[in-house]
Amino acid sequence: MTRVFDEDLTPGFGTRAIHAGQRPDPYSGAIMTPLYLTSTYVQDGLGQNKGYEYARGKNPTREALERNVAALEGGRHGFAFASGMGCLDSIMKLFRAGDHVVCGENVYGGSFRLFDKLLQHFGLSFTYVDTRDPQRVEDALTPRTRAIFVETPTNPLMRVTDLAAMSAIARRAEALLIVDNTFATPFFQRPLEFGADVVYHSTTKYLNGHSDMIGGIAVVRDDDLAAKLQFIHNAAGAVAGPFDAWLALRGTKTLHLRMPRHDENGRRVAAWLVDRLGEPKVFYPGLPSHPQHELARRQMTGFGGMISIELGTKERANAILQKVRVFSLAESLGGVESLISHPASMTHASVEPARRAELGITEGLVRLSCGVEDAEDLLADLEQALGD
């Protein structure tokens, strides 16, 4: 089972980002973890090996990434997967038919699709609630509740959930608290420190940061929970390939350098959009006008580069999506390049129209992922795109 090196938990975040989970290659002294492109390992004899038997179970490149992100999250064990959805699907294999999960109503469309279109047919049940209100979560609990699943800030409405409150509710219910930390990253928010049991990411996004791989990762502190995830990791086999793990590891080395720039650009763009569109049409937890701004300030050290705006109609949204030049119309987020998307027809297309409307994911909603370009160029691009 992959476990962090204890000495990697004491340095500052930037030092951990660069060094945690890695040691110079013993054969060559290479400072970057080598890319171990192998499916199997030669054994010295029956029951005698160097800690590796078959690459689905363990791979040295993947282990370096797992230890690195686990150290960044303040956890003990990391598990790298082939995609964020593969990661979430494997986490959900901790449960069995008849178990109940309380889920945030505004989560990534792919998470909802997995729960609603697949897992409920295998006997799991889900109740979707507005996790901004802890009482609604409490009221949704049943004797069969085994997990509370939240995303904070949420995709794409940028709602914030009180992680300490969720943890207290989960403890009373003897349920696991599972947190999608993709938007915030461990640089701005570490859910395990608020009592979460499992924190996971799409490593495709900010952790990698360069839009050149697909992956997911889960981090836990509890050894028994880690043993269960390790079994699922190997048995179900949705493991990260070594090259994707290597690319993500390269990305985490600059996470502490990139995230402040994403945050700086996000704040500037959000403030500009408020002046241009008005406070009610801009969703960004870093704005004092955001209804949960104070909560975000308490549990996050920054607000990142994700912003959503309400433009009123699909026609106006489409016109702006066609005009942008520095922002690129594309799925995904968290890369160094700025992206813009239309949640209703892209990330949340699998959510039924009536449900989208109920949540506030309208045809006029547009989501921005502010990259690390010069802020003046991002603002100029939006100015020309929004100009009437």
Side-chain angles (χ1 to χ4, degrees), residues 122-191:
F122 291 88
L124 294 180
S125 63
F126 299 86
T127 300
Y128 301 93
V129 301
D130 185 347
T131 57
R132 290 176 296 182
D133 183 355
Q135 188 59 52
R136 295 192 183 190
V137 176
E138 190 98 48
D139 292 344
L141 297 173
T142 77
R144 299 203 63 86
T145 301
R146 298 294 178 264
I148 298 171
F149 175 82
V150 302
E151 186 180 288
T152 182
T154 64
N155 181 2
L157 296 175
M158 306 305 295
R159 296 174 177 175
V160 180
T161 295
D162 187 331
L163 291 173
M166 291 301 107
S167 176
I169 294 170
R171 291 291 172 273
R172 290 194 294 271
E174 298 184 348
L176 296 180
L177 175 59
I178 303 166
V179 180
D180 181 342
N181 200 32
T182 299
F183 271 25
T185 83
F187 186 78
F188 288 136
Q189 178 176 267
R190 288 180 288 279

Side-chain angles (χ1 to χ4, degrees), residues 76-230:
R76 292 195 186 96
H77 307 276
F79 304 93
F81 292 85
S83 69
M85 291 313 304
C87 178
L88 180 57
D89 181 63
S90 292
I91 292 169
M92 299 309 294
K93 288 183 171 71
L94 290 166
F95 311 111
R96 61 182 62 190
D99 288 348
H100 173 251
V101 178
V102 178
C103 178
E105 64 180 7
N106 173 221
V107 294
Y108 167 54
S111 302
F112 174 77
R113 178 177 57 211
L114 174 68
F115 298 165
D116 188 65
K117 305 299 190 293
L118 289 177
L119 295 185
Q120 70 161 337
H121 301 304
F122 291 88
L124 294 180
S125 63
F126 299 86
T127 300
Y128 301 93
V129 301
D130 185 347
T131 57
R132 290 176 296 182
D133 183 355
Q135 188 59 52
R136 295 192 183 190
V137 176
E138 190 98 48
D139 292 344
L141 297 173
T142 77
R144 299 203 63 86
T145 301
R146 298 294 178 264
I148 298 171
F149 175 82
V150 302
E151 186 180 288
T152 182
T154 64
N155 181 2
L157 296 175
M158 306 305 295
R159 296 174 177 175
V160 180
T161 295
D162 187 331
L163 291 173
M166 291 301 107
S167 176
I169 294 170
R171 291 291 172 273
R172 290 194 294 271
E174 298 184 348
L176 296 180
L177 175 59
I178 303 166
V179 180
D180 181 342
N181 200 32
T182 299
F183 271 25
T185 83
F187 186 78
F188 288 136
Q189 178 176 267
R190 288 180 288 279
L192 295 176
E193 295 178 0
F194 292 91
D197 297 287
V198 183
V199 58
Y200 85 98
H201 298 260
S202 167
T203 51
T204 311
K205 313 304 193 297
Y206 283 111
L207 293 185
N208 167 260
H210 293 81
S211 305
D212 56 9
M213 54 79 67
I214 297 288
I217 196 161
V219 176
V220 301
R221 283 180 170 173
D222 182 77
D223 292 341
D224 290 339
L225 183 57
K228 293 176 183 177
L229 277 174
Q230 175 64 47

Side-chain angles (χ1 to χ4, degrees), residues 153 158 183-185 188 206 259-268 270 284-286 300-307 368-370:
M158 306 305 295
F183 271 25
T185 83
F188 288 136
Y206 283 111
M259 293 311 295
R261 185 58 175 264
H262 286 293
D263 184 63
E264 176 187 347
N265 284 352
R267 294 183 195 222
R268 288 194 61 182
Y284 182 68
M300 301 173 71
T301 58
F303 308 106
M306 300 303 301
I307 305 167
L368 295 83
S369 173
C370 298

Side-chain angles (χ1 to χ4, degrees), residues 42-57:
V42 174
Q43 302 185 32
D44 298 329
L46 290 177
Q48 299 175 357
N49 58 66
K50 296 178 175 62
Y52 302 92
E53 300 175 33
Y54 188 64
R56 186 182 68 248

Side-chain angles (χ1 to χ4, degrees), residues 32 35 59-66 80-81 203 208 213-215 240-252:
M32 186 63 183
L35 186 57
N59 175 281
T61 310
R62 189 171 78 229
E63 283 183 314
L65 172 65
E66 292 169 337
F81 292 85
T203 51
N208 167 260
M213 54 79 67
I214 297 288
F243 188 52
D244 284 338
W246 187 90
L247 287 169
L249 187 62
R250 175 214 53 188
T252 60

